[in-house]
Amino acid sequence: MAMNVVTVFGGSGFVGRHVVKRLAQTGVRVRVAVRRPEKALFLRPMGDVGQVELVQANIRDDASVAAAVEGADAVINLVGILYESGHQKFAETHAKGAARVATASAVARVQRFVHISAIGADEKSRSVYARTKADGEAQVRAAFPNATVIRPSLLFGPDDDFFNRFASIARLIWVMPLVGTGKTRFQPAHVGDVAAAIVAAVQDPENIARTFELGGPNVYTYRQLMELVLNACARKRILVPVPPQILKIWAWFLQMLPSPLLTVDQVNMLLGDNLVAHDVAGFSDLGITPVSAEVILPTYLWRFRPAGQFTAPGTHSGHQGEA
Ligand SMILES: NC(=O)c1ccc[n+]([C@@H]2O[C@H](COP(=O)([O-])OP(=O)(O)OC[C@H]3O[C@@H](n4cnc5c(N)ncnc54)[C@H](OP(=O)(O)O)[C@@H]3O)[C@@H](O)[C@H]2O)c1
């Protein structure tokens, strides 16, 4: 199928910027649909002059979504939120918004639709994030039966939220809280690998109507992930298990802040394993060999070391307040 125009909802985000760059490299015109195009100007140099176009669209609004998909050959929906604020509710963005984009794409006779969900999407989950992700998948499939659904695991990359956040906490305090016993298991994936998988999924018609779960090559417990972060930032900190109920009380207060460090729903998510299922297609089915967190984390978390890039590898600091 000849592909000329690909619309990317959420193209300015952490995953989106990698997807836009890779799509531009394939030579297609990339139309990035976001609420605030003025904050997405950094994407334009990722393509030739005029190749990356920015349009204003809100997946909560019918007219702007219809305009953004008009004339597109493929549509990728990356919109997702980690916490609710104002009109940005989980149900509105993950479920109704996703359904709106899929319906508009079907009406506009778009040929390929790729929807980004998340590992853990489950209508029975105790997390609203995960329940609404499951609802979004179902509504997308109902509106656009040939949609490809991609469920990534926790992601790492230079501008990630998770690993950078814990590295910055380690710089400030001596004690790092572990969720519960710290035994929840994760299979983190590199954002670049996931972007490559999304682009491969769009390009190959063999992937229509399939679901992919994308996890990295290794499984780590929550405790091991914290140890990886501390290793990459060359710091020694005490890892203290905190019972989920206590964490939820902290999170309940924290989630009142405009950009919360932790929410009760996130604690619920962190309590369940986040691993790819064995009977679902993954990276290998898209021809990608994923890179591990051990290899990539030190390449960007070095800035949290006591003396930045001048800290010799393998040295660990236990002193508070350095940096
Ligand atoms: N990051 C991870 O570890 C991870 C793991 C598993 C799954 N995922 C999923 O992967 C997807 C991308 O995640 P991410 O980390 O890249 O998220 P992100 O950095 O928060 O980016 C979200 C993007 O969505 C746009 N957006 C938000 N609300 C919108 C709305 N109402 N209408 C239109 N655009 C809207 C944002 O731009 P504006 O605010 O300018 O509109 C931004 O471009 C999400 O679906 C997420 O659930 C992420």
Side-chain angles (χ1 to χ4, degrees), residues 249-295:
I249 294 170
W250 290 358
W252 189 81
F253 284 106
L254 286 171
Q255 70 188 18
M256 291 182 203
L257 298 171
S259 174
L261 197 61
L262 191 67
T263 66
V264 174
D265 201 59
Q266 285 166 4
V267 176
N268 281 330
M269 263 193 290
L270 291 170
L271 288 172
D273 285 347
N274 196 269
L275 306 175
V276 300
H278 293 299
D279 52 352
V280 179
F283 274 125
S284 61
D285 301 274
L286 292 162
I288 293 163
T289 308
V291 66
S292 75
E294 280 107 308
V295 172

Side-chain angles (χ1 to χ4, degrees), residues 9-17 33-37 39 57-60 77-81 88 93-94 116-119 129 133 152-156:
F9 286 87
S12 63
F14 167 52
V15 183
R17 57 195 69 179
V34 281
R35 287 173 304 162
R36 291 162 296 198
K39 288 198 172 174
N58 189 327
I59 65 161
R60 292 183 276 110
N77 177 33
L78 283 149
V79 176
I81 55 173
Q88 289 279 91
T93 49
H94 292 170
I116 316 307
S117 181
I119 286 188
Y129 173 96
K133 279 289 192 186
S153 179
L154 176 66
L155 301 180
F156 56 88

Side-chain angles (χ1 to χ4, degrees), residues 4 16 19 22 45 68 91-92 106 108 135 154 161 167 188 200 216 218 292 300-301:
N4 295 315
V19 171
R22 279 183 180 270
E92 290 295 324
D135 193 6
L154 176 66
D161 200 41
N218 300 328
S292 75
Y300 63 95
L301 292 184

